[in-house]
Amino acid sequence: MTIPHLTGVHPAWLPPEAFVAIGSRRTLIVADESVPAGTVRAEVADACARHGGALVAPGEAADLVLALTSAEPLPPAARAVAGPELGAEGFLLARRDGVTVVLADDPAGLLYGFFEVVRQGEAAFGAPRPAEPYRPALRRRMLDHWDNIDVHPVMGQVERGYSGGSIFWRDGVLREDLSRVRVYARLLAATGINAVGINNVNVHASEARLLTDRLAEVAEIAAEFRPYGIRVHLSVNFASPVALGGLDTADPLDERVREWWARTTDRVYAAIPDFGGFVVKADSEGQPGPFAYGRSHADGANVLADALAPHGGVVHWRAFVYNHRQDWRDRSTDRARAAHDHFAPLDGEFRDNAILQVKHGPLDFQTREPVSPVIGAMPGTRLAVELQVTQEYTGQQRHVCYLAPMWSEVLGFRFWGPDGRAVADVTTSGGLVAVSNVGDDPYWTGHPLAQANLYAFGRLAWQPSLGPAAILDEWIGLTFPGDGEALRDTLHELMDDSWRTYERYTAPLGVCFMVRPGHHYGPDVDGYEYTQWGTYHFADRDGIGVDRTRATGTGYTGQYPAPWSEVYESLAECPDELLLFFHHVPYGHVLHSGTTVVQHIYDTHFAGAGQAAAMRARWAELDGSKTVGAALHARVSELLDEQVRSAEEWRDQVNTYFLRKSGVPDVHGRRIY
Ligand code: GCU
């Protein structure tokens, strides 16, 4: 195997410099050639060829030893630090007597250990340190691509994609040169990702056929991911037995349907023995599902789970099910309730290899939502939390919006109070999934700084307790090696708080949406107010917000266990940032912060737009920096111009809207239109 190095594509967090520490040393690898151990050998050989080091044989002096615990005999340096079981994908890192040791129980652990040494660079070869075990907190760490084969007339090729076309398909066919996919796999493995869904959850006609007569394309893509320990998953159409199999039903309890799924799945595994499984969006936004046959979502998921079980595969069944044809006049239907209403009663009915994939919030990847109550309501079900690395509602990769702080809050949320388990603990057997932000753009993610979100997602999925600023620091060090403190400081200043900055100039206090319908970019306060989508803010001359209390509203607060059912119910206790998600309040309502709701709206919108302008000014000072390079600097500068423009548009539309509705002037007399 050779390590691909692309020209014309940004190296992201694996530039050649990232391999200097390893590549300039003498490394002993004690493992067979099985995948991905063979990859580690190829990586080290490639790094040594570039930086002057060497792979050495057992018995020769080495600076770095990478070994499987099953190796016989274990080299002395490894034997000296070997300890308790490390488990699947885990590894141990130690430094003793001038030798750095990585030990793993399986080849995947060796791969992750190798990339940990890459991440630490010279520091991995410094002072002695005791053996430290590293284990992934979550079993499945997955990115979902919403890629289509064809260009969809409304959504484009990548649904909610802001980085160009698909890296898999072009002009309706699989790309001939898939080396970019291999490089992508390498980047993902370096963050800890071990699964990728390759196609859109809205499965259109051509993409449905990836399951059957276009399966060879999936096999080719899987071959690119395999060396880096990543299994490929496929989004499938629940009605495939009808659409592809010629049956007159897709009823999950019909024997012919069960057989069709079993047979079809057998063929998938014959072509791709390490295939990961299926992803399904059913009975959601027009996709077919079990409701058509009067069956439950557990029935639907289980027929696929049973087909996958003999092969060790899993089905990711999405909980994003709600009425998308609501009448805005109907105040009794609350979209936020839908997933819990549908799924919580089914707890315990899903097969063990069915994973319920739940969006982190009850609505739809908004800048600020409470954590979905489904995650705390299904102890008898394997749960995965779904995030959006792609910035559909958070600036569409035109705005700097570092999302790790939001994800950390979600993963650290404790449904049962400070002594209870966190979201990250509830999802250990299911995992963490996110919609990818990658396309065929030379920077991978459109906005070069959006690479940090992709990096951070993988790192948090591996270890949810990592701090967002520390992850960003790693990313900066790897991506811009040798650029020194000035760049590091600038990027922290731009990015650490950028999610909250974005929140300040967009929809206030957890009220959600207020975006342009359809494409979801830019402000439109009433854009969704009279639509079918169930996303309303109910602003009138007196106040704003959605009453989701049990006492007087939709009762959504009752989907949480105590203490949150009480905290969210209570106007006095509800956190400011979620106030309008849970309560309808007058504009003069005083927040915990001491200011009124309407004054808070004015203040945060002026502040947020001001911060965007400050970010641009700060970035401009960097001109001429050596590793950032002129092209990347120019791309970010252009995007910051757009961010500033858009933030001002948000500020002025939101502030003007509320001034006109409420008639309450800004106490500081600033310009509102
Ligand atoms: C959002 C998004 C859609 C997507 C859907 C989903 O509503 O706008 O493009 O299909 O989420 O997660 O299924």
Side-chain angles (χ1 to χ4, degrees):
M1 173 184 163
T2 54
I3 306 302
H5 297 284
L6 299 177
T7 50
V9 176
H10 190 261
W13 49 87
L14 293 181
E17 293 86 340
F19 297 89
V20 171
I22 288 182
S24 56
R25 289 190 160 79
R26 296 163 60 83
T27 298
L28 169 64
I29 299 181
V30 191
D32 58 21
E33 283 301 314
S34 63
V35 172
T39 307
V40 176
R41 194 182 303 276
E43 284 282 358
V44 175
D46 181 81
C48 289
R50 289 163 172 267
H51 304 295
L55 271 166
V56 300
E60 293 184 89
D63 308 299
L64 172 65
V65 172
L66 295 149
L68 286 178
T69 49
S70 57
E72 288 206 31
L74 261 189
R79 210 178 319 126
V81 296
E85 198 179 306
L86 299 160
E89 303 182 313
F91 62 91
L92 168 156
L93 181 61
R95 182 155 175 89
R96 205 180 135 126
D97 302 331
V99 182
T100 299
V101 178
V102 172
L103 257 181
D105 290 345
D106 66 3
L110 214 56
L111 180 74
Y112 296 126
F114 164 77
F115 279 122
E116 182 61 34
V117 178
V118 170
R119 183 164 22 252
Q120 295 191 12
E122 280 304 322
F125 300 93
R129 55 165 105 169
E132 191 187 346
Y134 292 70
R135 297 185 181 92
L138 304 178
R139 177 153 148 192
R140 197 164 286 92
R141 307 172 299 278
M142 178 169 181
L143 280 165
D144 281 356
H145 279 253
W146 285 357
D147 294 21
N148 301 311
I149 296 174
D150 302 318
V151 177
H152 185 275
V154 179
M155 293 295 177
Q157 191 182 15
V158 179
E159 180 153 340
R160 310 306 181 186
Y162 312 102
S163 312
S166 168
I167 57 170
F168 307 124
W169 295 281
R170 191 181 168 162
D171 300 331
V173 293
L174 188 69
R175 285 173 180 267
E176 231 165 80
D177 178 4
L178 288 175
S179 48
R180 183 136 184 197
V181 178
R182 179 69 64 91
V183 174
Y184 179 51
R186 181 177 190 235
L187 286 169
L188 296 188
T191 74
I193 295 295
N194 65 2
V196 166
I198 59 172
N199 64 308
N200 190 1
V201 288
N202 296 312
V203 185
H204 308 296
S206 310
E207 295 78 12
R209 289 168 47 211
L210 291 168
L211 179 62
T212 52
D213 56 305
R214 295 189 74 154
L215 181 60
E217 296 169 36
V218 185
E220 276 194 53
I221 292 170
E224 300 301 327
F225 280 110
R226 185 170 298 119
Y228 287 96
I230 296 171
R231 294 168 78 172
V232 158
H233 298 239
L234 199 59
S235 289
V236 296
N237 174 0
F238 183 77
S240 294
V242 178
L244 304 169
L247 297 185
D248 57 4
T249 178
D251 180 351
L253 299 193
D254 187 303
E255 206 38 50
R256 293 167 302 153
V257 170
R258 300 182 68 78
E259 274 165 20
W260 188 87
W261 279 112
R263 246 190 352 262
T264 303
T265 306
D266 290 348
R267 276 201 290 269
V268 173
Y269 278 90
I272 311 163
D274 60 351
F275 180 70
F278 300 136
V279 180
V280 186
K281 172 176 180 177
D283 290 317
S284 171
E285 300 182 332
Q287 295 297 305
F291 285 163
Y293 307 98
R295 309 300 185 196
S296 78
H297 275 248
D299 295 330
N302 289 345
V303 66
L304 297 177
D306 289 345
L308 289 157
H311 309 284
V314 294
V315 56
H316 281 87
W317 191 268
R318 297 179 81 230
F320 183 58
V321 178
Y322 71 100
N323 175 8
H324 72 293
R325 299 229 166 84
Q326 195 181 324
D327 185 339
W328 60 268
R329 299 167 192 83
D330 165 20
R331 295 289 292 259
S332 67
T333 304
D334 177 5
R335 171 168 165 182
R337 291 189 56 120
H340 187 283
D341 284 347
H342 284 300
F343 286 94
L346 301 178
D347 188 33
E349 292 182 24
F350 290 89
R351 297 280 191 271
D352 197 41
N353 64 329
I355 296 170
L356 190 65
Q357 185 164 313
V358 188
K359 286 192 185 187
H360 67 83
L363 289 181
D364 195 10
F365 302 131
Q366 298 300 291
T367 312
R368 176 76 70 172
E369 289 184 55
V371 174
S372 169
V374 177
I375 301 164
M378 301 189 66
T381 306
R382 282 172 72 185
L383 295 176
V385 172
E386 184 179 301
L387 308 170
Q388 233 187 12
V389 181
T390 196
Q391 291 171 238
E392 176 177 0
Y393 294 100
T394 50
Q396 303 201 346
Q397 279 131 263
R398 286 184 252 179
H399 296 220
V400 177
C401 188
Y402 178 52
L403 292 166
M406 183 215 284
W407 301 335
S408 282
E409 279 189 16
V410 169
L411 292 164
F413 180 77
R414 293 174 193 274
F415 280 97
W416 302 276
D419 302 326
R421 293 189 306 155
V423 167
D425 309 319
V426 177
T427 51
T428 45
S429 65
L432 199 62
V433 181
V435 186
S436 176
N437 62 350
V438 159
D440 67 359
D441 177 86
Y443 291 103
W444 298 95
T445 53
H447 201 307
L449 303 186
Q451 288 178 7
N453 284 329
L454 189 63
Y455 180 83
F457 170 73
R459 295 290 286 140
L460 278 175
W462 179 280
Q463 195 183 329
S465 59
L466 286 174
I471 297 175
L472 186 64
D473 212 57
E474 282 178 14
W475 175 77
I476 296 168
L478 288 165
T479 307
F480 303 108
D483 224 337
E485 288 309 305
L487 176 68
R488 200 176 281 273
D489 292 348
T490 301
L491 287 172
H492 277 291
E493 256 181 64
L494 252 73
M495 297 172 76
D496 279 341
D497 201 36
S498 53
W499 163 53
R500 290 190 178 84
T501 296
Y502 185 82
E503 179 183 30
R504 281 182 201 108
Y505 59 75
T506 57
L509 297 165
V511 79
C512 301
F513 286 86
M514 298 191 167
V515 291
R516 290 256 159 199
H519 57 64
H520 298 166
Y521 186 76
D524 189 344
V525 178
D526 278 340
Y528 275 102
E529 201 56 18
Y530 305 100
T531 67
Q532 63 188 23
W533 298 96
T535 49
Y536 316 118
H537 55 66
F538 302 119
D540 59 19
R541 65 175 187 175
D542 300 319
I544 176 171
V546 190
D547 184 353
R548 294 194 161 104
T549 62
R550 302 191 285 292
T552 52
T554 68
Y556 168 80
T557 57
Q559 295 185 338
Y560 290 88
W564 293 103
S565 54
E566 301 307 324
V567 171
Y568 291 146
E569 177 79 6
S570 154
L571 190 54
E573 284 184 63
C574 185
D576 283 352
E577 68 272 13
L578 287 169
L579 182 71
L580 302 182
F581 193 93
F582 287 102
H583 297 273
H584 185 91
V585 298
Y587 292 117
H589 174 83
V590 179
L591 298 167
H592 296 123
S593 67
T595 104
T596 63
V597 165
V598 72
Q599 189 59 42
H600 170 93
I601 292 175
Y602 301 148
D603 290 347
T604 51
H605 284 75
F606 282 113
Q611 281 155 345
M615 283 157 81
R616 176 170 64 180
R618 192 76 170 84
W619 182 256
E621 288 167 18
L622 265 187
D623 212 357
S625 145
K626 56 185 189 316
T627 50
V628 165
L632 190 147
H633 190 272
R635 167 83 76 110
V636 173
S637 299
E638 259 168 52
L639 289 161
L640 282 166
D641 285 345
E642 166 54 17
Q643 180 166 2
V644 171
R645 185 208 63 78
S646 175
E648 288 174 354
E649 193 60 29
W650 270 100
R651 175 196 66 198
D652 292 338
Q653 285 204 27
V654 171
N655 284 346
T656 300
Y657 180 96
F658 286 102
L659 175 64
R660 290 181 187 175
K661 276 263 152 149
S662 72
V664 180
D666 170 30
V667 294
H668 302 298
R670 289 164 291 195
R671 178 132 198 226
I672 300 177
Y673 296 85

